[in-house]
Amino acid sequence: MTFLKNIPPKSKVKIILIALLILLTLLFSSILAGVLGILTKVPATDSENLSLSFAQTSTIYDQDGQLLENLESQEFRSLVSLDQVPDHVTWAFLSIEDRNFYKHGALDLKGILAASYDNAKEGALVRGGSTITQQLIKNVYLSPEKSFQRKIQEAYLALRLEEALSKDEILESYLNRVNLGQGAYGLQAAAQVYFSKNVEDLSLEEGALLAGVVKSPSHYQPLHRYYKGDPGLRQVDPYDIVDTTQVAGQDMVLVKNPEALKRQKLVLSAMAQEGYISQEEAKKAGQRPIYFKPLDKKPTNLSPYSLDFIEIETARILQDKYDLSFAEAENKVLTGGYHIYSSIDADLQENLEELYRHYEDFLAEKNPGYPASLLDFKTDNRGHILDHFGDKLYLNRDKILDDKGDLLLSQEEASLTEEGDLTLDLDLFHLREDDILFKDLYALDQNNTLKTYSMEGLDLRAEDYALKKDQVLISRAILEAKPDFYQADDQGQVKISRAYFELDSLPTLQPQSSAVIINNKSGAIEAIIGGLQVDSQEAKGLNRADQSTRPPGTAITPFTVYTVALEKGDTLATVYDDVPYKYQGDYWPENRDQRYRGYMTLSQALLNRVSTIPSLLVQKHGMEASLDMLERLGFYKKEGSGDFLVTPEENPDRNDFSLDALSQGNFVKGVNNVYLTNAYRTLANQGQGARPHVVDKIVDSQGQVIFTSQSLKDQEVIQADRAYLIQNLLTRNQQNKNLAPIEREEFMGQLGQTKFNTDYWLVGSIPTHSVGLWVGADSPLLFLSEDPKTVASWYNEILKLLPDGGQLPRPSSQIVQEEICKRSGLLASSYCKRAGDSGQEVFIKGTEPKKTSDVHVRRLICNESGGLATQYCPYESLVYGYYFQRPDKYKSQDHNGVYPEDMGLVPRTYCHIHTEETLNETNQDQENQDPNTNEED
């Protein structure tokens, strides 16, 4: 600094001033650069569409426009205009949150100072320093972190917002956005949640109560929630308990919050101080009691089966419309403020659920002689249910649990090695990645119905055990580290502590069931049951009607086999031979009833649910034709994914491009009840079909219609006349012994069974609706008993819920009816009629047979012996018999040694009763006549 000694004083001052100026410039530049850096990170905003950034509650309505549910989300909100908010409610929020709102320009230094003074005076935080504009910015665009950088961003965005919107627009957005506790965001939602009223009906004391919540929604919310059983409830005054509610399927108790009432009085005092109300009005309002009436966000008692189904379909629609992931679409449904108008008939849905509440009673004691109602299985010596491979499927709860709920394992199931290791039978477990899970348990109740219990655990990490052959080995070191894990008794039994596994307290009834009801005219789903838990309010539970897929069995063959055959030129009278055939070296398939009836028409093959002829038809007409039919019905996509079929590309060894799948319905993955029922709706709608739907219309939060089911226009899936032929054929199923319980005069339907009897389907239509019923155990390895009549009886109970009367679609002018021979498919001859082998059949005009059948013969029979008559048979014993005579030279060795039932119908032996010795003198003049001819009468 010695160089300054020689500088004149005036110059020194100049130099120092210049240096200070440079330093200040650098400091200001640094601050400015920091602020600019902070502002570059300001999130993008759209002030003109501010309300669109708010999460809004979506609502679901039934087909009559009645509210079914407010969808639960993190923010329950309905937007209202400022004009709808009473002045005294607006004043309450301004008084306590921003007294100078209409005076300041986004930032209020005077307000901050005044708030600090009031807080110091009251000895409590009665006012905040942030303006309403700042609060709105913070809540909409910024994170909740408290930092200098965020404050700068908040101030900047607040100034921008005040330039873009008027004060009233900002206040309206704020009142629609503010968090008011209990998941209620905005005044309208809060008015609904606490008082079940609209915002315009809020009283002075109610408005002040809500304004007081803003400071700390968790602390000042008017009601607190307690889970039922919460120890904290013991300290609550019973007079403070307001109501009970459900949140995500959990029962909760609503209790008055005394802190909210204290805060309310501060708000009323602030309103009086600002001159909005008098001190007397504030005092009276603070003394008036608050009457809470919490909103039931789910105003119906409907199970989640229908409501979740609507929500999921809405998400799928939004996913396609906006090209979102399904998770993004689900979130959009919950937060988008959509009005979702469904096709659910609330009364029908409620009646169907009430019917299913009695399913267990209906099932009780069905099928005596079987191990459980409607179920057939074998057990081992411990009573554990075995699958058809001989492996344990369900463990016997009564044998494997003791009175305390600990696992009690026999010597065969658990033992100790000489080294002190514990070995457990591997067949007790499911192996899933690194977890070992105990198989589920079962028990039979007093009505012989089977109930399963889900097991979770053991509570062991992957490194705690090893797998050796057919055992799970837990080392001595692990056991010593967990001394309470097990105990061994003198009989060699091992007891594992309940602390190391979990068991569902509520059992699942088996077999399960699902049902779908679709309106024939609109194609809309009006009721749906996804299982037996109709009283559960658990959200997103398993819906077996939509989310489960099971093989359709013979319920799909009317489409993949018989409709395809009609399209390829066959008629319902085309004849095939029901006998065993070889396929890929084996005699396959076998008929379920082990009967082989011989020559029969297509209609007889379907009605008798034979297995051989469908296999012949798919081989004859090609699997591609069956796949094409499945594509038209929506089960299969040749391009893309998301269908029901497993392709060879997906699994070369086991897929649905096979005769077993296409001719017998034994799909690898299966189909769901919704789509299968919709296929039958196509038949009842003259071959016209569309994608099944439960959402009729979606209106967004701005009132714009973004989807209607009218976009799902019916298209021709099956030519109308062919659809009628199949429909007409399925109406005859009602005379089938298995469907005899169906009491409707107008009904078409088909019973579906799978090859291992794991599933029963009954799907069909009455004039107004198509109904699909599935019955089966959750595990496809648990087989059903041979009792389709029980399923038909339950189906009939469902039909009773639906209107009677009307007619299924009738044939057009292109349909004709002829009496045909069931053995040849030709026009019935007199011989055929007298043999009882004729019947009426329907045809598309021009395809009916023109020739008369000649496959029956006439023989003179002695009615006493049943043999061919001889010259010794008395005249009064002679009758003409009419018989089908197979036209081929059948070789049983080519058909697994089986002789069909229509073989050998023509008698070949003569009467053995009447001989020459017994000849009556009155018959002597006939002894030289030839009694057998083939001439017509």
Side-chain angles (χ1 to χ4, degrees):
M1 293 290 184
T2 54
F3 70 94
L4 290 175
K5 294 179 180 180
N6 301 322
I7 298 175
K10 287 185 177 182
S11 298
K12 288 181 181 179
V13 172
K14 288 181 181 180
I15 291 172
I16 292 172
L17 289 174
I18 291 171
L20 289 174
L21 182 61
I22 292 172
L23 289 173
L24 289 173
T25 300
L26 290 173
L27 179 61
F28 178 77
S29 298
S30 298
I31 294 171
L32 181 61
V35 170
L36 291 175
I38 292 170
L39 295 182
T40 58
K41 298 177 182 178
V42 168
T45 61
D46 184 0
S47 300
E48 293 183 2
N49 294 303
L50 186 61
S51 63
L52 295 180
S53 64
F54 299 167
Q56 300 177 50
T57 299
S58 295
T59 50
I60 294 176
Y61 305 89
D62 70 4
Q63 61 178 222
D64 294 324
Q66 298 299 310
L67 179 66
L68 292 180
E69 186 177 34
N70 295 293
L71 292 179
E72 266 191 18
S73 65
Q74 290 184 338
E75 298 184 8
F76 176 60
R77 175 185 288 108
S78 296
L79 300 184
V80 292
S81 67
L82 189 60
D83 293 339
Q84 293 174 261
V85 182
D87 288 342
H88 55 260
V89 177
T90 304
W91 296 338
F93 280 86
L94 292 175
S95 297
I96 199 67
E97 291 300 321
D98 193 349
R99 298 183 181 184
N100 297 317
F101 174 71
Y102 281 99
K103 300 175 182 177
H104 63 66
L107 307 177
D108 185 13
L109 181 59
K110 181 180 177 181
I112 293 172
L113 295 174
S116 300
Y117 173 78
D118 286 347
N119 292 338
K121 180 181 176 183
E122 295 291 336
L125 292 173
V126 297
R127 290 178 58 187
S130 295
T131 66
I132 280 177
T133 310
Q134 288 176 280
Q135 291 182 49
L136 181 61
I137 287 295
K138 175 180 66 178
N139 292 333
V140 175
Y141 297 120
L142 300 176
S143 69
E145 75 166 307
K146 296 180 180 180
S147 65
F148 175 72
Q149 290 87 345
R150 204 219 63 186
K151 276 292 183 183
I152 291 176
Q153 292 175 339
E154 178 187 299
Y156 170 72
L157 290 175
L159 291 168
R160 278 181 49 185
L161 188 63
E162 291 268 359
E163 292 177 356
L165 300 180
S166 69
K167 286 287 188 179
D168 283 352
E169 288 172 328
I170 292 172
L171 183 58
E172 179 181 294
S173 296
Y174 171 79
L175 294 177
N176 278 312
R177 174 62 181 82
V178 65
N179 180 2
L180 296 173
Q182 296 282 311
Y185 285 75
L187 269 176
Q188 173 66 9
Q192 289 282 315
V193 163
Y194 296 115
F195 309 113
S196 293
K197 60 173 62 174
N198 292 319
V199 65
E200 52 262 40
D201 299 321
L202 288 172
S203 65
L204 172 60
E205 56 270 22
E206 291 167 346
L209 183 74
L210 296 180
V213 177
V214 179
K215 183 67 182 174
S216 175
S218 61
H219 187 66
Y220 292 119
Q221 59 184 330
L223 299 174
H224 281 311
R225 291 171 177 167
Y226 290 84
Y227 286 104
K228 278 191 174 180
D230 190 321
L233 273 175
R234 299 171 189 166
Q235 312 301 321
V236 170
D237 187 331
Y239 291 102
D240 287 338
I241 295 177
V242 173
D243 203 351
T244 59
T245 187
Q246 280 202 337
V247 178
Q250 296 288 322
D251 290 328
M252 305 195 82
V253 179
L254 298 176
V255 178
K256 291 180 184 177
N257 178 13
E259 294 300 316
L261 295 174
K262 293 178 183 177
R263 178 75 175 169
Q264 176 214 39
K265 290 174 175 56
L266 286 175
V267 175
L268 291 169
S269 176
M271 292 177 70
Q273 185 178 341
E274 290 298 307
Y276 289 122
I277 59 175
S278 67
Q279 290 289 349
E280 183 65 20
E281 286 176 308
K283 182 179 179 181
K284 289 181 178 179
Q287 292 173 344
R288 284 194 288 267
I290 297 289
Y291 296 102
F292 292 101
K293 186 182 177 183
L295 172 70
D296 186 355
K297 293 184 183 178
K298 185 181 175 185
T300 68
N301 291 321
L302 299 185
S303 73
Y305 288 130
S306 59
L307 301 172
D308 287 349
F309 183 57
I310 296 166
E311 183 184 334
I312 289 170
E313 181 171 311
T314 304
R316 289 171 180 160
I317 293 170
L318 298 185
Q319 180 182 16
D320 293 340
K321 183 176 181 64
Y322 298 113
D323 192 24
L324 304 171
S325 69
F326 185 73
E328 291 171 326
E330 274 194 308
N331 183 65
K332 198 172 182 70
V333 172
L334 294 175
T335 61
Y338 294 101
H339 297 277
I340 304 160
Y341 296 88
S342 77
S343 59
I344 290 295
D345 180 332
D347 291 337
L348 178 59
Q349 179 70 34
E350 188 173 337
N351 290 337
L352 184 60
E353 291 181 6
E354 180 60 28
L355 176 65
Y356 263 86
R357 289 187 178 94
H358 301 286
Y359 175 87
E360 183 174 353
D361 297 332
F362 173 82
L363 204 62
E365 298 295 349
K366 290 291 187 296
N367 312 109
Y370 283 95
S373 296
L374 208 57
L375 292 169
D376 188 15
F377 54 82
K378 294 181 180 179
T379 59
D380 64 10
N381 58 0
R382 286 269 281 170
H384 303 322
I385 294 177
L386 304 176
D387 61 24
H388 62 283
F389 300 111
D391 298 324
K392 292 179 178 67
L393 182 61
Y394 290 104
L395 307 179
N396 188 337
R397 187 194 65 171
D398 296 334
K399 291 289 182 68
I400 208 166
L401 290 183
D402 66 10
D403 295 339
K404 296 180 180 179
D406 295 330
L407 274 176
L408 190 62
L409 305 180
S410 68
Q411 291 179 344
E412 293 78 20
E413 294 165 336
S415 61
L416 288 169
T417 67
E418 293 181 358
E419 292 78 14
D421 301 328
L422 177 63
T423 63
L424 304 175
D425 181 5
L426 184 60
D427 203 18
L428 297 172
F429 299 91
H430 294 294
L431 299 181
R432 188 177 65 193
E433 296 179 353
D434 291 335
D435 292 332
I436 55 171
L437 304 176
F438 254 97
K439 291 181 177 178
D440 292 346
L441 310 188
Y442 85 93
L444 292 174
D445 66 13
Q446 68 274 15
N447 293 319
N448 204 40
T449 54
L450 185 140
K451 297 177 179 178
T452 58
Y453 299 78
S454 178
M455 283 277 285
E456 294 292 338
L458 298 171
D459 188 12
L460 297 172
R461 298 170 299 174
E463 57 266 28
D464 291 342
Y465 65 89
L467 300 180
K468 293 194 175 181
K469 293 184 179 180
D470 56 352
Q471 293 179 326
V472 174
L473 187 146
I474 303 174
S475 71
R476 176 179 177 178
I478 298 300
L479 297 175
E480 289 176 347
K482 302 176 184 290
D484 61 336
F485 181 78
Y486 84 99
Q487 293 177 352
D489 62 19
D490 297 337
Q491 287 76 39
Q493 297 182 117
V494 170
K495 183 185 294 186
I496 296 179
S497 170
R498 178 67 184 272
Y500 288 88
F501 64 89
E502 293 183 2
L503 178 66
D504 278 355
S505 58
L506 295 177
T508 300
L509 178 65
Q510 304 292 349
Q512 278 284 322
S513 177
S514 71
V516 177
I517 300 177
I518 298 180
N519 185 291
N520 287 342
K521 184 176 180 180
S522 65
I525 297 166
E526 294 190 345
I528 186 169
I529 291 288
L532 306 180
Q533 289 75 30
V534 291
D535 289 320
S536 170
Q537 293 302 316
E538 179 185 358
K540 300 298 187 295
L542 175 63
N543 187 328
R544 295 167 179 84
D546 174 53
Q547 296 167 323
S548 293
T549 56
R550 299 296 283 256
T554 49
I556 199 70
T557 56
F559 305 97
T560 59
V561 177
Y562 296 98
T563 303
V564 167
L566 295 181
E567 292 180 343
K568 292 296 184 178
D570 284 350
T571 71
L572 294 181
T574 302
V575 168
Y576 291 87
D577 200 4
D578 174 30
V579 294
Y581 296 94
K582 266 194 173 183
Y583 177 70
Q584 296 183 347
D586 295 318
Y587 287 101
W588 179 92
E590 295 181 344
N591 286 340
R592 177 178 294 274
D593 57 9
Q594 296 299 307
R595 291 179 59 187
Y596 296 92
R597 297 166 176 82
Y599 283 94
M600 62 170 57
T601 62
L602 249 64
S603 59
Q604 288 176 294
L606 187 149
L607 294 174
N608 287 286
R609 292 186 294 127
V610 302
S611 301
T612 55
I613 291 175
S615 175
L616 290 179
L617 289 168
V618 174
Q619 291 181 72
K620 175 183 176 181
H621 300 306
M623 287 193 291
E624 192 61 38
S626 297
L627 291 169
D628 178 66
M629 174 58 67
L630 291 171
E631 183 177 30
R632 281 182 271 158
L633 290 168
F635 294 105
Y636 169 53
K637 295 178 183 178
K638 289 183 180 177
E639 302 293 336
S641 59
D643 61 4
F644 295 99
L645 268 62
V646 176
T647 66
E649 291 75 21
E650 292 170 328
N651 189 334
D653 300 322
R654 189 165 177 260
N655 57 71
D656 292 319
F657 285 46
S658 68
L659 275 184
D660 191 31
L662 299 177
S663 72
Q664 312 299 316
N666 294 314
F667 289 13
V668 173
K669 186 169 61 175
V671 301
N672 69 25
N673 201 344
V674 169
Y675 269 77
L676 189 57
T677 306
N678 190 60
Y680 280 78
R681 179 256 169 176
T682 300
L683 292 177
N685 194 42
Q686 302 184 70
Q688 298 288 310
R691 190 183 77 198
H693 70 276
V694 73
V695 175
D696 275 339
K697 183 172 66 173
I698 302 175
V699 180
D700 69 15
S701 60
Q702 304 302 301
Q704 300 297 313
V705 177
I706 63 170
F707 170 83
T708 69
S709 59
Q710 294 177 0
S711 61
L712 306 173
K713 293 181 179 179
D714 280 335
Q715 297 179 340
E716 184 177 88
V717 176
I718 302 169
Q719 192 267 338
D721 290 335
R722 295 190 187 108
Y724 172 74
L725 296 186
I726 299 296
Q727 172 200 302
N728 179 276
L729 174 55
L730 294 179
T731 60
R732 303 175 222 169
N733 251 331
Q734 197 167 353
Q735 281 69 52
N736 185 300
K737 63 179 182 179
N738 290 327
L739 298 188
I742 305 298
E743 298 172 357
R744 287 300 181 107
E745 183 177 345
E746 283 281 310
F747 169 75
M748 69 157 182
Q750 173 76 342
L751 181 71
Q753 282 180 274
T754 50
K755 62 182 175 182
F756 293 123
N757 226 39
T758 56
D759 303 85
Y760 276 130
W761 299 86
L762 212 170
V763 196
S765 305
I766 59 174
T768 56
H769 293 83
S770 294
V771 180
L773 170 66
W774 168 81
V775 174
D778 281 333
S779 170
L781 297 176
L782 187 58
F783 296 169
L784 301 172
S785 62
E786 279 283 355
D787 184 36
K789 279 191 175 181
T790 297
V791 178
S793 296
W794 186 250
Y795 190 89
N796 191 57
E797 294 300 312
I798 297 175
L799 292 184
K800 289 178 182 178
L801 304 177
L802 298 169
D804 208 346
Q807 291 183 324
L808 288 163
R810 294 301 170 190
S812 70
S813 58
Q814 294 300 309
I815 299 295
V816 296
Q817 185 168 290
E818 296 287 353
E819 187 173 7
I820 58 124
C821 171
K822 297 178 183 178
R823 299 292 186 179
S824 67
L826 302 177
L827 296 174
S829 67
S830 60
Y831 282 12
C832 173
K833 295 175 184 178
R834 292 177 181 182
D837 283 341
S838 67
Q840 295 294 323
E841 194 55 86
V842 290
F843 301 87
I844 299 173
K845 191 173 182 179
T847 66
E848 69 273 20
K850 302 298 190 295
K851 295 181 180 180
T852 301
S853 175
D854 61 355
V855 297
H856 287 77
V857 297
R858 183 177 74 170
R859 296 288 185 265
L860 190 61
I861 303 298
C862 174
N863 64 7
E864 292 184 38
S865 67
L868 293 170
T870 69
Q871 67 268 33
Y872 305 112
C873 295
Y875 178 77
E876 60 269 19
S877 72
L878 299 181
V879 295
Y880 278 112
Y882 300 86
Y883 307 96
F884 169 63
Q885 184 167 275
R886 287 180 63 98
D888 58 353
K889 293 182 179 179
Y890 181 80
K891 296 180 180 180
S892 64
Q893 60 267 31
D894 294 335
H895 302 280
N896 204 26
V898 169
Y899 289 95
E901 294 176 5
D902 65 353
M903 191 168 185
L905 295 178
V906 181
R908 298 183 181 276
T909 60
Y910 286 86
C911 174
H912 63 280
I913 296 176
H914 304 104
T915 63
E916 185 176 3
E917 288 76 17
T918 62
L919 179 64
N920 191 299
E921 290 183 1
T922 59
N923 293 334
Q924 290 299 315
D925 59 343
Q926 299 179 15
E927 62 183 0
N928 294 320
Q929 294 182 11
D930 181 4
N932 290 301
T933 70
N934 271 330
E935 297 176 2
E936 296 276 1
D937 283 350

